[in-house]
Amino acid sequence: MSHPLFDLTGQKALVTGAGRGIGLTLAIGLARAGADVALADIDLSGVADGRREIEAMGRKCVPIEANVTEGDSVDRMVSEATAGLGGLTILVNNAGTNVRKKTDEVTEDDWDRVLDLNLKSLFFITRRAGEEMKKAGGGKVINIASLMGWSVFRNPHQQTYGPYASSKGGVISLTRSFAVEWARENIQVNAICPTFIETPLTKSLVDDPVVFGAIRDRTPMGRLGLMEELVGPCVFLASAASNLVTGESLLVDGGWHAG
């Protein structure tokens, strides 16, 4: 029997970037803990199996096509999620992107694309979702940041992921800002800072023996993380178990910052 503190029965969750990968994995994990879930993504072509799995648990599942970098689309996404689920009490800001280039190769378009999706959109999504959480009497916001929000990793190709690291550092800071402002609204705002996670988007890193070796050697556990290993931290931060936790950034990094 699961501990009641981690039971999400009756909770209503919106997950962005949920069309595949980490976002879809987290959405399924929240559903297993009892939550109804809205899956938002600019491309919903990969959600069919996940939707069937969620609905087979007896949970509501609401797919929403949305471009989170556009204000009107954000407002519609939150409104549709709230209407479809019957409220909104959990937000997982997972949508994001990266540009793997050296600093002197980054274009202005690269910078704008990464910062708009990873940071700017998160601010406006969270602000809009917060309106619904206040109506519900409280809620949980979980931002997917990165260990690169805490430290610089220079890979063997001399790439330091400047726009990405800057955006994730901003996510950590913005997490604290929302947390402090909304603390008395019974809305807890926290971030998860993962290490490199095995996903289709990181396959090129795994396939590059030099880069993979550098990540492995830098990580005390000697491996990349798995998507499923983010579910536990997400459920914790979405549940009553974390009611006194806000403004925190939880490193899930295989010991990267301890070693």
Side-chain angles (χ1 to χ4, degrees), residues 7-257:
D7 184 1
L8 299 181
T9 300
Q11 301 300 312
K12 316 294 183 181
L14 167 61
V15 182
T16 67
R20 62 190 57 77
I22 291 173
L24 186 56
T25 298
L26 294 179
I28 293 170
L30 292 172
R32 284 181 180 145
D36 296 322
V37 186
L39 311 176
D41 205 300
I42 197 169
D43 178 8
L44 294 174
S45 61
V47 306
D49 289 343
R51 181 180 185 181
R52 281 192 291 269
E53 184 174 349
I54 291 169
E55 291 180 338
M57 303 174 200
R59 316 290 183 231
K60 289 182 182 178
C61 183
V62 181
I64 302 171
E65 185 175 332
N67 182 345
V68 296
T69 64
E70 297 177 356
D72 290 345
S73 185
V74 166
D75 184 64
R76 177 182 55 78
M77 174 184 72
V78 174
S79 296
E80 288 186 11
T82 303
L85 298 176
L88 186 63
T89 58
I90 299 167
L91 169 65
V92 180
N93 281 309
N94 169 72
T97 191
N98 193 5
V99 173
R100 299 189 182 104
K101 294 181 178 180
K102 296 179 183 178
T103 299
D104 58 5
E105 296 172 343
V106 173
T107 67
E108 185 173 355
D109 285 344
D110 291 333
W111 177 270
D112 289 344
R113 179 160 58 89
V114 173
L115 271 292
D116 281 355
L117 180 54
N118 291 8
L119 185 59
K120 180 181 176 181
S121 71
L122 183 145
F123 174 84
F124 289 102
I125 296 166
T126 302
R127 190 174 71 174
R128 175 66 183 89
E131 296 173 8
E132 302 301 332
M133 291 181 182
K134 291 171 187 177
K135 294 176 187 176
K140 305 278 188 173
V141 178
I142 301 149
N143 299 321
I144 305 303
S146 169
L147 64 82
M148 288 194 197
W150 287 104
S151 63
V152 174
F153 172 63
R154 184 180 67 181
N155 75 23
H157 301 306
Q158 306 303 309
Q159 298 165 337
T160 57
Y161 313 106
Y164 182 80
S166 299
S167 71
K168 295 304 185 178
V171 168
I172 291 169
S173 182
L174 193 56
T175 295
R176 296 180 184 134
S177 296
F178 274 115
V180 170
E181 188 165 339
W182 289 352
R184 297 192 181 185
E185 303 279 0
N186 192 32
I187 299 174
Q188 290 83 56
V189 186
N190 293 287
I192 296 173
C193 301
T195 183
F196 292 88
I197 302 294
E198 288 191 30
T199 73
L201 294 178
T202 60
K203 187 177 185 300
S204 62
L205 302 180
V206 176
D207 290 345
D208 184 327
V210 177
V211 174
F212 178 73
I215 295 171
R216 182 193 59 215
D217 293 345
R218 178 67 180 78
T219 306
M221 292 183 72
R223 63 177 178 84
L224 274 66
L226 304 176
M227 292 187 289
E228 293 77 10
E229 291 174 312
L230 300 180
V231 172
C234 185
V235 170
F236 165 65
L237 293 175
S239 72
S242 62
N243 280 352
L244 196 60
V245 180
T246 197
E248 295 299 322
S249 298
L250 176 60
L251 286 161
V252 185
D253 65 359
W256 183 290
H257 283 86

